[in-house]
Amino acid sequence: MLRVGLTGGIGSGKSAVAARLVERGAVLIDADRVAREVVAPGTDGLAEIVAAFSDAVVDADGALDRAALGAVVFADETARRRLEAITHPRVRARTAELAAAAAPDAIVVNDVPLLVEVGLAPTYHLVVVVQTAVSTRLERLARDRGMGRAEAERRIAAQADDVRRRAAADVVLTNDGSLTALHDAVDRLWKQRLVSYEDNLRQRRVVSPDAAELAGADASWPEQYARLAARIQHALGSDALRIDHIGSTAVPGLAAQNVIDVQVAVASLADADGPLADRLASAGFPRVPGQWWDDPRPAGRGRWEKRLHGSADPARPVRLHVRVVDSPGWRYALLMRDHLRADPDQRATYLLLKRDLVDAAPEAGASGTARNPWFDEEYLRAEQWAAQTGWHP
């Protein structure tokens, strides 16, 4: 099933987004509701909180007094972390139970206020952040919750700021306008991305990039790579010996096809053919059918075999190259990237060549590279540069 993490600062309107997604057909798991459930009267969670913070955090009916507990932990980092150590494992376990009960073709939306703060972004196929101006959030907290300005500002300051949330976000929904505008944005997300993503994920179907064309250099490509790499690392753990951003989108300022190239180093291709392939597919990176290899440099030395995965996300094409660590193909991908980063003249020449290749074969993308002598010449230049600078992968 497709797992979507939904988050946003207090007063951002995240609940309105969650409600609209449910109307579209999503299964919602509300972390706040789960958090209340695991510390309800009679639970082990509540007993442990009382043991940690005294019965001053329990009301006359024996329920958790959240206001009293909040007064203790929001001003004390150590106390807050102590509380999180009690509640977070229980919330995770209950969340897993609820997700497991959903249908296999469900789009499961986890509404998690502290998703960024606790580092949960890599556990989801997609992270949606609701972003709203602080002034608007303060007005909403006063109007809807009767919260004083000082308290509202303190709550906002205790959470991640917009910069951190945007870095974790695959999708940012801006909620500074009307509810109708917000609903329209959610509906577009549902129809254009989430439904297709779920279907591709379930069918283990790779998204094909659009016909080859060069996009202007995008400063967000490294940030997009970082989110992909975090998901891959979460899925593979220690089986991924190294994960790197390679290809043209890894070279600052270089126009490229809007496809993120990722290299995953493994101990052997036998490892790549085992459970690792299934874990990548479950994380949103299915295997591309067929046999795949790299053309050797210099030419004529035999094929450099690899495994190729793609993305199930219709809005984020990926080429995920699984290569054996320290193999020639693995090393060459890193060497060419770093040489182009270091040499602006060759970077400019490569860009002209890429444009010629795209014009000559617009449907084939990088086809023709094996036969173009520039690549063998660049390989020799890069090896010279590596020897002169002491470069190593």
Side-chain angles (χ1 to χ4, degrees), residues 184-235:
D184 288 345
V186 174
D187 291 349
R188 285 193 299 273
L189 172 63
W190 180 264
K191 294 174 185 176
Q192 297 175 9
R193 192 166 189 177
L194 299 186
V195 171
S196 297
Y197 196 169
E198 185 283 319
D199 188 51
N200 292 339
L201 182 69
R202 183 163 33 87
Q203 302 294 339
R204 296 197 168 189
R205 183 168 51 231
V206 173
V207 173
S208 298
D210 293 334
E213 61 180 44
L214 299 185
D218 187 338
S220 76
W221 280 333
E223 196 171 75
Q224 293 182 54
Y225 158 76
R227 291 193 292 271
L228 295 168
R231 290 190 177 103
I232 294 165
Q233 187 69 68
H234 178 75

Side-chain angles (χ1 to χ4, degrees), residues 67-78:
L69 181 60
V72 173
V73 301
F74 274 109
D76 186 333
E77 178 71 15
T78 301

Side-chain angles (χ1 to χ4, degrees), residues 2 124-127 167-171 189 192-194 196-198 200-201 205-211 213-232 245-250 254-262 280 283-286 288 309-320:
L2 184 69
Y124 301 103
H125 294 108
L126 201 74
V127 171
D170 301 287
V171 178
L189 172 63
Q192 297 175 9
R193 192 166 189 177
L194 299 186
S196 297
Y197 196 169
E198 185 283 319
N200 292 339
L201 182 69
R205 183 168 51 231
V206 173
V207 173
S208 298
D210 293 334
E213 61 180 44
L214 299 185
D218 187 338
S220 76
W221 280 333
E223 196 171 75
Q224 293 182 54
Y225 158 76
R227 291 193 292 271
L228 295 168
R231 290 190 177 103
I232 294 165
H245 188 190
I246 60 169
S248 296
T249 62
L254 185 62
Q257 189 183 12
N258 187 23
V259 181
I260 303 295
D261 282 278
V262 180
L280 281 174
F285 305 97
V288 179
H309 289 244
S311 171
D313 181 356
R316 180 62 276 163
V318 171
R319 284 185 294 255
L320 195 162

Side-chain angles (χ1 to χ4, degrees), residues 18 51 238 253 264 314 348:
S238 60
V264 175

Side-chain angles (χ1 to χ4, degrees), residues 132-140 149 153 156 162 176:
T132 308
V134 171
S135 58
T136 304
R137 294 164 63 188
L138 290 170
E139 291 173 7
R140 289 175 181 165
R149 187 178 183 89
E153 289 177 340
I156 289 172
D162 287 342
D176 291 313

Side-chain angles (χ1 to χ4, degrees), residues 2 22 51 67 79 83 101 107 112 181-182 187-188 205 218 236 269 387 390:
L2 184 69
V22 170
L83 175 63
I107 297 174
V112 187
L182 181 65
D187 291 349
R188 285 193 299 273
R205 183 168 51 231
D218 187 338
L236 299 185
L269 289 182

